[in-house]
Amino acid sequence: MTFTKQTESKKNLTFECETGNYHTFCPISCVSWLYQKIEDSFFLVIGTKTCGYFLQNAMGVMIFAEPRYAMAELEEGDISAQLNDYEELKRLCLQIKQDRQPSVIFWIGTCTTEIIKMDLEGIAPKLEAEINIPIVVARANGLDYAFTQGEDTVLAALAQRCPQKSQDILVNLTDHEPLIVFGSLPNLVAKQLSLELASHGISISGWLPSSNYIDLPNINPGNYVIGINPFLSRTATTLMRRRKAKLIIAPFPIGPDGTRAWIEKICSVFNIQPKGLYEREQKIWDTLQDYTSLLKGKSVFFMGDNLLEVSLARFLIACGMIVYELGIPYMDKRYQRAELDLLEQTCRKMQVMMPKIIEKPDNYNQLDRIKDLEPDLVITGMAHANPLEARGINTKWSVEFTFAPIHGFSNSRDILELVTRPMRRNNSLPNVDFV
Amino acid sequence: MKLAYWMYAGPAHIGTLRIASSFNNVHAIMHAPLGDDYFVMKSMLERDREFAPVTASVVDRHVLARGSQEKVINNITRKDQEEQPDLVILTPTCTSSILQEDLKNFVDRASFDSLADIILADVNHYRVNELQASDKTLLQIVAFYLDKAHQLNQLSMVKTQKPSVNIIGCVSLGFHNQHDLLELKRLFDDLNIDINLIIPDGISVHELKNIPQAWFNLVPYREVGGLTANYLNQKFDIPFIDIIPIGVLQLSRFIKAIQEVLINSGYSVDYSSYIDQQTKFVSQSAWFSRSIDCQNLTGKKAIVFGDSTHASAITKILSAEMSIRVVWSGTYCINDAEWFKQEVQDYCDQVVISDDHTHIADLIAETDPNAIFGTQMERHIGKRLNIPCGVISSPVHIQNFPLSYRPFIGYEGTNQIADLIYNSFTLGMEDHLLEVFGGHDTIKSTSSTLSSTSNMKWCNEALEELTKIPGFVRNKVKKNTEKFAYDNNLKQITLEIMYSAKEANQA
């Protein structure tokens, strides 16, 4: 496949789909950040040694900190149905209840439970009644989903558990309709965004997920919901269809431009005139100048593995970069509509080419294109980082964007901290050619 | 079902992939769902400059519904054209093995259209672990190419003129394998023995037909290579040595065994002066055992846990070479329990066979040894219990793939191990003395300068936030925030002010 270096601007975004032969994390990895977020939870991953091995390697040090998650490791007897699923799960869950006393147990279904058709959704309510702990089932498997979509399956399941108290027994502290934000963020970042909205007179009535299962937000029909991350389409759908909530479709609060657009959209829904929002955005851009000057005119190639790609690409284009290719595991054009529009606008404003969006990319073909295009930076997984560096191509591990605080005005710098790191490394290592 | 938090040995396909990626120009195609290609950690742990020769033929919803059909075959033939490997190993995973697709049939059909040889890794995911699978896969590949050479009449059965050896079982992601290998090369060079083949590290499958030219085989590690050596012994009558060449005493046994093999083949050698020379002058370990440092270790309590190779070797060194009391010694290689018991039972009070890390943690807490020699897991257990630990075996982290020369095998290995052991114990001693005498005197002075004398008021919410900031930057954040508040004439620090201070400091 040949691909010539081109920077003339294309009129619209183009979408392509390849073979789906790409590296990404298994969606069960979501337990690593969700168990930390939901403090009274326990995550039980029902799968094989392969799942366990992945988790223990991907999570590195965290595994040693007595995590509130474990494998229910399936043995040959489970596969061949010589053992009874219900009895086996009951035994393990009772043990968890006794050792950890969680307020909720999440069952994470895996490829194996799919293939042997273990009826987790059927078993859970019965067992829940018997052992008296809520059991939430999420099928976060590698047959259907990639990496961050794991969180989506968990939150979609959790959305069903949010209480629905009637409006009149609740004291509405706000003068606008209740607003629930969905998406798991570190508490610090969640607080920063809450304060940001509060400065415009908007208060968030709840977060999905909350820090504790017992504090899940109240969601009534007609309440407004808004997503914080681009990979939460199932959760959005569930909130709309099952909970009859109204979804606010906005760009995601990643980068100062995204954060401004996110707040602006919420304000417009509540008929509030945001005050000083553009000034605030500009001030943040000013603080980023030392980093954006490094990025100006540089090119970037997203291999695609965590669904944050559109938002990050949009922010980096606003920083002056050129995006050659935007690989992404899965593209929900409806849920990401506003983000895609902002991407187009940003490209026009910066007068750069619209990136090609490649859904389900083929890593082998991508490496070919990278070879031809020689981008200044490739955002990629661990599989390709060292080999690409050895070939003189700068890389940044994409996984870091999932674990670093990147949302809101205050954390914009953290994103650029990551993106500019290889460039800063190069500036301080002028003789990097020696490899 | 088994409740499990952590495992010592990985799933079977990892073993197969470690073998495949050790060879030169062998490609593995995993029949696996998205995300199972986590073997990519190879490029991270070993800091490999090459792309790991592993591709997934992705099992997704469509495959569940209709079967893989042409997908696996297309992936094999595509890889054949793209990379022109000598061999493609189709690797089943735990997911694919319950799909019960006829992978053998795919292999046969793909063989028609491919230049590469294609084999299906013959491992059962629910019965063998990573280590057993690598042992099996290595045998499978060796047997395949010897059969092929036999059929084509290309087997060269004539022994080399000079004594020579095949080293079997050096695989990628092995614990200090690369360093061990260098040390073995040096050792055989000293003994005037040629190395015929190193299997599989870095060799081409086409070289395997030269295996029978070696006078004898060496299996340095217990976990991988045993099956192959046995097979070669039965089929071609090649003798093998499986004494682990770790530690001074084991090394003498090892070299004497080589001597015996050579003499039996009609080649007269006497290595005793070499052993003497090396033990006295190259290895410092024998002298270390006599030195006053080591005398202080006499009777100190240690426990050992790891794979059977390293746990057994270290147990013997501690007990027989350094007079340290090994309270218990254990392995997670349950399939090899009998051998392990035989090896170590005279060198420790008790033998432990388990792959449950919580059981091991409890045992360590109960024993309360002066030092632990184990895997990364035991290191963390040690941290929690405040017991020093030397890492002697997989599973390991990236820091156990050191850049510097750190063999465990051979005479240089004995020096490395002596350092590792001695450092673990002295550190423990130092800690203990510090506690007795009230700690480092710097602790007090630093904390007094760190305690802020400012009279800035913090609201509870902000204070709570402050405590969540990691310790090593907390004081800096506190100072910066207070300075920001002071500069802006603010009396009380709220959450908002904290965040504004963060932004201001970035500007």
Side-chain angles (χ1 to χ4, degrees):
Chain A
M1 187 174 292
T2 52
F3 196 96
T4 48
K5 205 164 188 164
Q6 50 175 353
T7 41
E8 86 262 22
S9 50
K10 276 186 246 129
K11 282 279 170 325
N12 290 303
L13 289 173
T14 50
F15 294 86
E16 278 177 31
C17 186
E18 281 189 311
T19 61
N21 265 321
Y22 63 100
H23 289 284
T24 183
F25 271 16
C26 173
I28 58 171
S29 51
C30 68
V31 305
S32 69
W33 64 86
L34 287 175
Y35 93 82
Q36 292 184 21
K37 174 72 194 178
I38 309 172
E39 289 163 11
D40 53 356
S41 64
F42 191 98
F43 284 80
L44 185 67
V45 182
I46 305 162
T48 60
K49 250 185 181 329
T50 304
C51 314
Y53 194 66
F54 163 71
L55 273 181
Q56 99 181 27
N57 279 295
M59 299 317 127
V61 208
M62 278 191 260
I63 205 92
F64 300 109
E66 295 224 17
R68 292 185 317 279
Y69 68 83
M71 291 293 307
E73 197 182 307
L74 299 169
E75 291 165 300
E76 210 165 3
D78 298 302
I79 306 299
S80 52
Q82 282 165 338
L83 298 167
N84 179 299
D85 300 339
Y86 184 86
E87 291 303 324
E88 291 295 302
L89 283 166
K90 181 176 155 190
R91 184 169 56 80
L92 301 193
C93 288
L94 280 174
Q95 197 182 330
I96 292 164
K97 183 183 175 184
Q98 193 201 335
D99 295 348
R100 309 293 180 105
Q101 288 130 5
S103 315
V104 58
I105 298 177
F106 287 90
W107 284 356
I108 305 294
T110 62
C111 304
T112 312
T113 56
E114 287 297 311
I115 295 171
I116 63 174
K117 299 195 165 47
M118 196 182 277
D119 182 20
L120 297 177
E121 278 93 346
I123 298 173
K126 283 186 220 149
L127 196 57
E128 182 171 323
E130 195 175 337
I131 69 171
N132 207 13
I133 287 187
I135 296 172
V136 179
V137 181
R139 303 173 174 207
N141 62 68
L143 294 168
D144 301 309
Y145 306 109
F147 196 8
T148 49
Q149 287 180 291
E151 175 180 323
D152 193 23
T153 62
V154 173
L155 297 191
L158 208 50
Q160 311 268 41
R161 300 296 182 115
C162 291
Q164 188 177 357
K165 294 183 200 124
S166 82
Q167 207 74 59
D168 39 285
I169 55 163
L170 288 173
V171 192
N172 196 359
L173 296 169
T174 59
D175 39 16
H176 56 79
E177 280 286 313
L179 173 70
I180 294 107
V181 184
F182 58 94
S184 165
L185 287 181
N187 290 347
L188 170 81
V189 183
K191 228 171 245 168
Q192 286 171 339
L193 282 175
S194 306
L195 287 174
E196 216 64 76
L197 284 179
S199 70
H200 300 285
I202 296 167
S203 64
I204 296 174
S205 28
W207 285 80
L208 176 69
S210 44
S211 296
N212 282 295
Y213 176 78
I214 45 172
D215 299 331
L216 277 180
N218 195 55
I219 303 178
N220 281 313
N223 288 171
Y224 282 98
V225 292
I226 187 162
I228 202 84
N229 267 321
F231 44 78
L232 298 171
S233 26
R234 284 176 72 87
T235 311
T237 316
T238 308
L239 288 168
M240 282 192 299
R241 298 208 181 134
R242 300 293 191 85
R243 306 306 305 258
K244 308 291 176 216
K246 290 184 203 150
L247 177 68
I248 303 175
I249 292 191
F252 300 98
I254 292 169
D257 49 342
T259 310
R260 188 257 306 143
W262 189 74
I263 296 172
E264 206 173 22
K265 185 65 190 274
I266 298 172
C267 287
S268 80
V269 168
F270 292 133
N271 275 323
I272 292 170
Q273 192 61 46
K275 275 188 290 290
L277 191 54
Y278 279 81
E279 291 78 356
R280 176 118 175 83
E281 184 194 350
Q282 193 50 50
K283 236 177 112 186
I284 296 292
W285 280 117
D286 292 343
T287 67
L288 299 179
Q289 232 161 29
D290 53 338
Y291 279 172
T292 49
S293 66
L294 280 176
L295 297 177
K296 200 147 277 164
K298 297 264 169 42
S299 55
V300 55
F301 189 110
F302 286 86
M303 288 187 81
D305 73 347
N306 60 14
L307 284 95
L308 294 171
E309 291 87 0
V310 179
S311 311
L312 288 174
R314 178 259 302 149
F315 173 43
L316 293 184
I317 290 169
C319 290
M321 294 190 90
I322 300 154
V323 177
Y324 284 157
E325 177 164 326
L326 200 165
I328 187 168
Y330 169 75
M331 180 76 241
D332 185 336
K333 287 187 197 160
R334 280 185 303 175
Y335 177 64
Q336 295 222 41
R337 184 73 266 156
E339 184 64 88
L340 287 169
D341 289 345
L342 184 58
L343 173 65
E344 278 194 353
Q345 277 169 36
T346 310
C347 289
R348 289 210 182 87
K349 190 178 134 208
M350 304 300 293
Q351 294 184 313
V352 294
M353 64 181 263
M354 302 261 175
K356 228 180 201 176
I357 297 181
I358 311 276
E359 216 182 336
K360 294 175 85 176
D362 185 300
N363 279 170
Y364 189 86
N365 295 342
Q366 285 184 314
L367 290 175
D368 245 9
R369 298 197 285 268
I370 288 171
K371 212 171 137 199
D372 289 343
L373 293 163
E374 293 178 5
D376 297 304
L377 179 69
V378 175
I379 297 184
T380 183
M382 300 190 207
H384 298 115
N386 269 336
L388 280 173
E389 289 282 350
R391 283 157 185 74
I393 301 225
N394 293 316
T395 59
K396 187 77 226 132
W397 282 355
S398 50
V399 177
E400 291 186 66
F401 294 101
T402 336
F403 293 119
I406 59 169
H407 294 79
F409 285 125
S410 323
N411 296 308
S412 304
R413 197 176 175 82
D414 294 67
I415 305 177
L416 296 190
E417 182 87 31
L418 292 176
V419 177
T420 57
R421 200 172 291 158
M423 282 134 198
R424 286 181 285 131
R425 186 264 325 261
N426 290 355
N427 291 345
S428 57
L429 275 185
N431 297 320
V432 83
D433 294 343
F434 54 69
V435 289
Chain B
M1 272 180 221
K2 203 169 80 180
L3 198 60
Y5 296 88
W6 207 75
M7 65 184 86
Y8 285 101
H13 69 266
I14 297 286
T16 300
L17 298 182
R18 283 176 60 185
I19 295 294
S21 62
S22 302
F23 278 103
N24 185 16
N25 210 24
V26 170
H27 201 98
I29 295 195
M30 300 172 66
H31 190 235
L34 203 62
D36 269 6
D37 51 0
Y38 195 65
F39 187 70
V40 299
M41 67 185 175
K42 178 173 161 60
S43 82
M44 203 198 148
L45 289 176
E46 290 199 330
R47 303 178 192 88
D48 207 328
R49 295 168 197 225
E50 296 307 317
F51 295 100
V54 175
T55 312
S57 175
V58 178
V59 175
D60 57 14
R61 228 2 107 172
H62 298 292
V63 171
L64 280 199
R66 307 176 297 130
S68 288
Q69 296 189 351
E70 301 298 312
K71 197 170 182 179
V72 174
I73 297 165
N74 289 344
N75 274 313
I76 295 175
T77 47
R78 177 182 160 188
K79 206 38 74 180
D80 183 55
Q81 284 157 14
E82 284 168 354
E83 311 257 292
Q84 284 143 13
D86 296 323
L87 168 69
V88 173
I89 303 179
L90 182 58
T91 311
T93 56
C94 56
T95 312
S96 79
S97 66
I98 45 175
L99 282 175
Q100 301 195 326
E101 285 197 89
D102 190 358
L103 295 179
K104 184 74 185 61
N105 175 38
F106 294 156
V107 164
D108 292 342
R109 282 170 55 203
S111 305
F112 290 122
D113 299 325
S114 307
L115 290 171
D117 295 313
I118 300 159
I119 60 178
L120 171 66
D122 181 22
V123 289
N124 182 323
H125 275 78
Y126 295 91
R127 296 191 186 164
V128 296
N129 66 22
E130 170 187 359
L131 301 169
Q132 295 162 284
S134 47
D135 204 9
K136 286 188 87 166
T137 307
L138 184 58
L139 169 63
Q140 204 187 347
I141 296 173
V142 167
F144 177 84
Y145 279 99
L146 288 178
D147 281 349
K148 193 176 167 186
H150 179 68
Q151 277 161 21
L152 298 171
N153 236 342
Q154 286 175 343
L155 268 189
S156 37
M157 302 296 294
V158 186
K159 298 286 172 197
T160 54
Q161 229 170 6
K162 223 173 109 184
S164 64
V165 59
N166 295 319
I167 302 174
I168 303 177
C170 290
V171 295
S172 64
L173 291 173
F175 184 73
H176 294 240
N177 262 202
Q178 293 306 319
H179 310 285
D180 284 351
L181 198 51
L182 270 176
E183 192 60 22
L184 281 174
K185 284 180 184 167
R186 210 158 84 172
L187 183 68
F188 282 116
D189 193 46
D190 285 352
L191 299 178
N192 202 20
I193 294 171
D194 281 344
I195 292 173
N196 186 49
L197 285 178
I198 294 165
I199 307 166
D201 189 82
I203 69 164
S204 149
V205 287
H206 300 310
E207 294 175 68
L208 292 174
K209 63 173 186 291
N210 299 326
I211 286 179
Q213 295 178 355
W215 290 34
F216 69 102
N217 288 324
L218 162 66
V219 186
Y221 307 110
R222 184 67 197 165
E223 288 75 24
V224 186
L227 289 178
T228 308
N230 267 307
Y231 164 84
L232 293 171
N233 183 240
Q234 278 160 23
K235 189 124 184 175
F236 300 100
D237 203 25
I238 308 175
F240 67 90
I241 292 171
D242 59 358
I243 297 167
I244 297 159
I246 298 179
V248 174
L249 296 175
Q250 285 285 96
L251 269 164
S252 325
R253 274 188 63 208
F254 172 74
I255 297 173
K256 281 177 193 151
I258 294 174
Q259 182 176 312
E260 204 180 308
V261 164
L262 295 187
I263 291 172
N264 286 344
S265 321
Y267 188 85
S268 160
V269 280
D270 183 5
Y271 289 134
S272 45
S273 67
Y274 175 76
I275 297 174
D276 201 46
Q277 189 82 4
Q278 292 286 312
T279 310
K280 278 189 186 143
F281 300 108
V282 174
S283 169
Q284 299 295 313
S285 168
W287 156 238
F288 175 73
S289 324
R290 298 293 309 170
S291 74
I292 207 75
D293 288 334
C294 193
Q295 202 183 81
N296 284 335
L297 300 181
T298 306
K300 286 255 180 305
K301 286 199 295 183
I303 67 99
V304 182
F305 192 78
D307 61 17
S308 35
T309 301
H310 293 90
S312 66
I314 299 294
T315 304
K316 288 179 192 174
I317 292 174
L318 288 170
S319 164
E321 297 180 21
M322 297 185 175
S323 68
I324 291 161
R325 182 174 155 219
V326 180
V327 184
W328 54 266
S329 167
T331 183
Y332 56 82
C333 299
I334 293 176
N335 58 302
D336 209 17
E338 274 315 304
W339 178 87
F340 186 79
K341 274 183 204 155
Q342 285 294 327
E343 286 292 302
V344 302
Q345 61 191 4
D346 298 337
Y347 299 91
C348 60
D349 302 353
Q350 198 196 338
V351 181
V352 176
I353 309 290
S354 169
D355 61 356
D356 176 357
H357 79 273
T358 50
H359 176 58
I360 297 300
D362 290 346
L363 270 179
I364 293 175
E366 213 174 280
T367 314
D368 194 26
N370 301 103
I372 303 167
F373 298 94
T375 71
Q376 278 293 341
M377 184 40 106
E378 283 68 48
R379 191 173 73 87
H380 281 267
I381 296 168
K383 255 188 184 166
R384 223 182 310 163
L385 299 171
N386 251 326
I387 303 170
C389 175
V391 175
I392 53 129
S393 156
S394 294
V396 290
H397 283 173
I398 192 151
Q399 68 252 44
N400 301 107
F401 289 88
L403 302 175
S404 57
Y405 189 49
R406 296 273 178 79
F408 270 61
I409 280 179
Y411 286 103
E412 177 54 28
T414 63
N415 294 334
Q416 297 286 341
I417 295 170
D419 275 344
L420 180 75
I421 293 173
Y422 181 61
N423 288 343
S424 305
F425 277 107
T426 34
L427 285 178
M429 193 63 129
E430 218 174 317
D431 251 13
H432 178 68
L433 289 176
L434 283 171
E435 208 159 279
V436 171
F437 294 111
H440 282 287
D441 54 357
T442 48
I443 288 177
K444 215 172 177 181
S445 54
T446 26
S447 56
S448 70
T449 46
L450 290 178
S451 77
S452 171
T453 48
S454 86
N455 47 8
M456 200 60 79
K457 273 205 191 82
W458 285 69
C459 78
N460 284 339
E461 216 184 352
L463 213 51
E464 194 189 319
E465 198 60 58
L466 187 69
T467 57
K468 283 184 204 151
I469 293 166
F472 62 98
V473 285
R474 193 181 304 141
N475 275 309
K476 195 175 157 211
V477 172
K478 185 165 185 246
K479 241 165 64 187
N480 287 341
T481 313
E482 287 178 348
K483 184 171 179 300
F484 175 84
Y486 180 82
D487 291 346
N488 289 285
N489 250 336
L490 299 162
K491 291 278 163 314
Q492 203 193 15
I493 291 170
T494 61
L495 257 190
E496 286 91 335
I497 291 171
M498 258 183 98
Y499 298 142
S500 317
K502 186 190 173 212
E503 279 162 27
N505 281 319
Q506 289 171 351

